[in-house]
Amino acid sequence: KSILRVLPKESQYRLVHRLDDGTSGILVLAKNRKGARALSEAFSERRARKLYIGLTASVPAKKQCIIRGNMIKARRASWKLDRKCTQGGNCACTEMRFRGLGQREKEENSNFPTSVARRLLIALPYTGRSHQIRVAAKAMGASLLGDKLYGGLQADRLYLHAAALQIQLSHDHDINIICKPSSGSAFSSSRFQSPWSA
């Protein structure tokens, strides 16, 4: 909610879709209560589709899968995944695809070696649980770069980015947003830029 602190106090902006700490990308703010209600309904009725991208140094157990399970609180403000979804539980569901990043490039003047990024993660969360993509990546043996909490290699940032959002507000009105990451040496590398452009 820190984004709301920079807005004038008299504004009626409402935060509708937030991001976990360290995740960059698309946020959704509504200008007023009516807009917040319409957008919140779209999210709760699953008329909003989100796409996240991330980078990992690991080779995942599978190239693509759907990870489904209850999110259970663990130590140090982290979560773990129980592979069962029980009724009334904190069930999370994420479709995940991993793609290779091509040839490693020669690094020049970088504090973070971009060559450690081996795979691009494309995540489509069907639910909106805290840390669900990060926990699902760990469950696949492919923790995200910079994700200290879930065992990812040290990096100059957490490599998770909310890259695209589509919201169906009515039968003939969709909102489509694409946001390319603008920070992080591995996101800036040509190895990342090639798959992004494809």
Side-chain angles (χ1 to χ4, degrees):
K1 295 201 174 193
S2 61
I3 190 86
L4 295 176
R5 288 187 210 139
V6 299
L7 296 172
K9 289 194 189 280
E10 64 277 359
S11 75
Q12 293 186 21
Y13 284 97
R14 305 272 190 261
L15 185 61
V16 176
H17 177 257
R18 66 172 187 79
L19 299 173
D20 290 336
D21 274 348
T23 304
S24 58
I26 300 167
L27 292 171
V28 178
L29 294 171
K31 287 184 174 182
N32 53 46
R33 288 182 190 194
K34 182 180 176 186
R37 189 171 33 257
L39 289 164
S40 293
E41 283 175 9
F43 277 95
S44 67
E45 294 171 4
R46 302 234 162 93
R47 290 183 282 120
R49 295 175 40 192
K50 302 169 275 188
L51 183 140
Y52 288 74
I53 54 174
L55 296 177
T56 181
S58 305
V59 176
K62 295 180 181 177
K63 287 184 180 179
Q64 64 184 55
C65 63
I66 294 178
I67 300 283
R68 188 178 285 123
N70 282 333
M71 300 281 290
I72 300 167
K73 279 204 178 256
R75 290 184 250 156
R76 300 180 305 133
S78 67
W79 295 84
K80 62 183 181 178
L81 189 68
D82 176 4
R83 291 294 178 115
K84 297 175 188 151
C85 274
T86 55
Q87 194 168 6
N90 192 19
C91 191
C93 184
T94 309
E95 182 179 339
M96 304 183 84
R97 300 176 196 150
F98 292 90
R99 302 288 182 260
L101 287 173
Q103 295 292 323
R104 295 180 183 210
E105 61 191 29
K106 186 176 181 181
E107 297 164 27
E108 296 177 24
N109 303 324
S110 175
N111 294 333
F112 169 68
T114 61
S115 63
V116 300
R118 295 181 67 187
R119 296 281 187 276
L120 169 68
L121 161 67
I122 301 164
L124 302 155
Y126 298 128
T127 53
R129 308 287 184 241
S130 291
H131 296 198
Q132 91 175 54
I133 296 169
R134 296 164 64 189
V135 171
K138 181 180 180 179
M140 291 300 298
S143 293
L144 297 169
L145 290 175
D147 196 347
K148 297 177 203 165
L149 195 58
Y150 296 103
L153 288 182
Q154 185 174 344
D156 57 344
R157 60 162 286 174
L158 169 62
Y159 278 87
L160 182 60
H161 180 79
L165 177 65
Q166 179 183 52
I167 304 171
Q168 182 185 18
L169 289 179
S170 64
H171 295 296
D172 60 349
H173 184 74
D174 285 358
I175 297 173
N176 294 293
I177 305 164
I178 296 175
C179 175
K180 190 173 178 180
S182 60
S183 67
S185 57
F187 274 153
S188 301
S189 74
S190 62
R191 294 176 66 228
F192 171 75
Q193 296 297 325
S194 296
W196 176 265
S197 303

